Amino acid sequence: MARNLFTEENFQRLNEVIEANRQKQGALMPILHEAQKIFGCVPMEVQKIIAEKLLIPLSEIYGVVTFYSQFTLEPRGEYVVGVCMGTACYVRGAQPILDKISQLTNTKVGKTSEDGKFTLEATRCIGACGLAPVITVNEDVYGRLELKDIPGIIEKY
Ligand code: FES
């Protein structure tokens, strides 16, 4: 199972971060950044605490969290696998590749595997169309992929 980051100790750390920043202007972004680091995500439970302490409407915080891709509502896995679904990659077989990765990692798009290891994402064009179809695993980029390459790549992680 994924690590449980919702410990009393981590909520204590969140409170300290809020206390240290609450009087500052523009306190919300730094607090959300720290919350993402502490919990690995910023779920509703955490947003509610921040909203109450900063006297900011929850809807406003939710808007910020869902707007910026550095914040997530659910914890991300150790490895984030991005499958480019841009046009060039799509026409060169991104969909079967995505399906294969989903099957091998036991993860659906936008979700994290039970063991917390993989998060699977369908991304827009990442600007490497010459290498289509392309996938990324954290910082690593793999291009000109064929279905048969996928198990070997996933195995590395
Ligand atoms: S469409 Fe995949 S990199 Fe551009």
Side-chain angles (χ1 to χ4, degrees):
M1 284 299 285
R3 285 171 302 157
N4 180 18
L5 294 170
F6 298 99
T7 58
E8 211 169 297
E9 193 191 331
N10 279 348
F11 279 106
Q12 182 59 36
R13 282 175 66 198
L14 174 67
N15 277 327
E16 285 165 15
V17 168
I18 294 172
E19 285 311 317
N21 286 282
R22 66 190 301 172
Q23 305 298 351
K24 298 182 190 161
Q25 265 217 327
L28 182 59
M29 287 303 273
I31 290 173
L32 288 176
H33 271 289
E34 285 304 315
Q36 175 76 36
K37 270 200 230 155
I38 294 170
F39 298 102
C41 59
V42 192
M44 293 314 285
E45 198 179 350
V46 169
Q47 291 178 40
K48 270 188 208 149
I49 295 172
I50 298 171
E52 278 165 23
K53 296 248 163 119
L54 293 188
L55 304 175
I56 293 178
L58 182 58
S59 58
E60 196 178 305
I61 294 180
Y62 181 79
V64 173
V65 170
T66 50
F67 182 80
Y68 292 99
S69 60
Q70 69 255 46
F71 305 128
T72 55
L73 290 167
E74 288 182 23
R76 289 175 132 201
E78 194 179 341
Y79 300 105
V80 178
V81 183
V83 180
C84 177
M85 296 299 270
T87 311
C89 289
Y90 189 82
V91 297
R92 291 196 171 90
Q95 184 66 54
I97 287 174
L98 180 73
D99 295 341
K100 185 78 189 164
I101 296 172
S102 168
Q103 180 205 333
L104 291 172
T105 58
N106 216 353
T107 318
K108 290 201 170 30
V109 175
K111 297 285 177 200
T112 298
S113 57
E114 277 277 301
D115 60 5
K117 198 155 180 203
F118 293 105
T119 297
L120 180 57
E121 290 179 348
T123 69
R124 296 195 193 141
C125 174
I126 60 164
C129 307
L131 297 177
V134 177
I135 71 166
T136 52
V137 183
N138 291 356
E139 306 301 317
D140 304 335
V141 180
Y142 299 90
R144 301 212 172 92
L145 292 171
E146 290 179 37
L147 256 191
K148 64 172 170 51
D149 303 327
I150 301 302
I153 293 171
I154 296 301
E155 221 159 80
K156 283 199 214 168
Y157 301 90

